[in-house]
Each structure stands twice: as structure tokens, then as C-alpha cells.
Amino acid sequence: MYFLILGTFVVFTLFLVLFTSIKFDKKLEKKKISWRIFEPSLLFFFFLFSFANFGYSFYILKVYDFLKSESFALGMYLIFGFVLLVSTYLAGRVYDSLNLKNFLYITVVIFILSNLLLIIFPPLGLITLAIGEAFLEIGVWATVGKRVKFRKGFVFGVYHFVIGISSFISSFVSGYLWDYFSSDAPFLLGTFVAFLSLFYIHKFIRV
């Protein structure tokens, strides 16, 4: 325990030294920060939709409960990683060929299918989830990169922070539902949130 605390202190100190030694270019153009640079409608959408995406641990645990085998569950996780890798490339191609609204529709529908399949047949649900995760990653970062014209690093950080908060809250709620209701309850919540996200896209997301 002592070494863990000491190591944490050393790493934090090195980070502070490194950060304070960076010389920022004061000649860079300073532009006034406006809430509009965050694309608020998109930021709220990804905050909302992240409630349907509550962490790999729940998905793997669901698959393990279904298969009753650690080795098979591990094998499914490896397949999940491979499908995620390939799907990221495909999602990028799809993103470039569609407008944003249609791309987000497809992403949400994939998550609806994956959550329902995780209840009915978890192994197939996990593979479908890998495709959804790839589409979500591309949807977030490609959209921010395309829409945001300046202070991109700052805006990326805000999006990552907001999505992280949403995922943390959804994981906490999902754990409670799993323990006190059933292992299907988190995925029913994910399905419900995904349907809400479809309505939000229709009403508030511009092309």
C-alpha cells in the first residue's frame, strides 16, 4: 500500500513538472469561447445516448452467465475486439457517405438491436454491440472534428468529459438494476434510452 501511494505521488509530481515546463505560444490567436462551439444539441445527444452504453463488464458478464464458461466468454471477447476493429473502418466509410442524421439513426438502431439480443441471445448481442460501438466512436469524434472550427482540443476534451460522466452514471444505475432486479434490467434501460435518442435525433439534430 505504501509503495502504491508513493508511486502515485511520484507520477503526479512528474506530470506537474512536465506540464509547467511547457512553453505556450502566446502569439496564437485567442478567440472568445462561446457555448455554440460545443454544438449543444449534439453534446446533449451523446450525453443522453451514453446511458445506453454502460461498459463492457456488463456485456461480458451477461455472456458469461449465458455460456457458463470462462474460456468461451473470453473467446467471445476476442471476437468482439476483432469485429470492433473491422467495424470501425466500415463505420468511417458509412459516415462519409451519409448525412449526420441518418448515420446517428443507424447507430441508435444497432444499439437497440444489441441490447435486445443481449437479453435473448447474449453472444450475438455482444457481436452486434461491437458494430454499434464502432459507429458510436466514429459518430462522436468525426462529427466534432467536422463541425468544430477552432479550439478543437478543448471541445474534444469537453465531449470526452461529458460522455465519461454519462457512462459513469449509467454504469452505477445498471449495477443497481442488475443486483436488485435482474440481469436483463440494464439492457431494457439501454433499449429505452436508445428509443428516446431516436426521438431526440428526429426533433433536435440538424443534418
Side-chain angles (χ1 to χ4, degrees):
M1 186 65 178
Y2 172 77
F3 290 105
L4 179 60
I5 296 174
L6 179 61
T8 303
F9 176 76
V10 170
V11 171
F12 182 70
T13 302
L14 289 173
F15 174 78
L16 285 179
V17 172
L18 178 63
F19 183 78
T20 54
S21 65
I22 297 175
K23 295 181 179 180
F24 295 98
D25 189 354
K26 296 181 180 180
K27 295 180 180 179
L28 291 175
E29 181 182 5
K30 300 293 184 181
K31 293 188 177 182
K32 186 178 179 180
I33 296 176
S34 167
W35 61 272
R36 292 184 180 85
I37 72 170
F38 298 107
E39 293 279 348
S41 61
L42 282 172
L43 183 62
F44 184 79
F45 166 76
F46 288 119
F47 174 80
L48 171 66
F49 187 53
S50 292
F51 277 89
N53 182 29
F54 30 77
Y56 294 167
S57 56
F58 288 97
Y59 307 126
I60 298 301
L61 185 58
K62 183 67 173 176
V63 171
Y64 172 74
D65 284 347
F66 180 81
L67 296 175
K68 304 298 182 184
S69 169
E70 291 184 3
S71 58
F72 279 117
L74 178 59
M76 287 303 305
Y77 185 69
L78 294 175
I79 295 173
F80 171 89
F82 176 76
V83 174
L84 177 62
L85 179 66
V86 175
S87 298
T88 302
Y89 169 77
L90 296 176
R93 296 290 298 271
V94 173
Y95 183 91
D96 289 338
S97 62
L98 296 176
N99 63 47
L100 176 61
K101 209 165 189 177
N102 289 335
F103 183 86
L104 293 180
Y105 275 134
I106 292 173
T107 303
V108 174
V109 169
I110 294 173
F111 267 87
I112 291 173
L113 289 174
S114 67
N115 276 283
L116 292 176
L117 286 171
L118 280 160
I119 297 173
I120 300 168
F121 188 67
L124 182 57
L126 184 67
I127 300 305
T128 308
L129 176 72
I131 301 171
E133 289 283 354
F135 272 72
L136 179 59
E137 285 292 314
I138 294 297
V140 174
W141 307 125
T143 299
V144 174
K146 183 178 181 180
R147 293 280 183 97
V148 177
K149 304 304 180 185
F150 69 100
R151 301 298 294 272
K152 289 189 178 185
F154 177 61
V155 176
F156 268 104
V158 170
Y159 268 75
H160 200 70
F161 176 74
V162 169
I163 291 170
I165 290 176
S166 177
S167 298
F168 175 79
I169 296 172
S170 67
S171 295
F172 180 82
V173 173
S174 297
Y176 178 85
L177 293 175
W178 185 295
D179 287 339
Y180 292 97
F181 291 91
S182 74
S183 61
D184 292 337
F187 307 106
L188 291 173
L189 172 65
T191 303
F192 174 73
V193 172
F195 273 111
L196 281 181
S197 300
L198 282 178
F199 173 79
Y200 185 88
I201 293 170
H202 177 70
K203 286 293 185 179
F204 301 106
I205 299 297
R206 60 185 175 86
V207 177

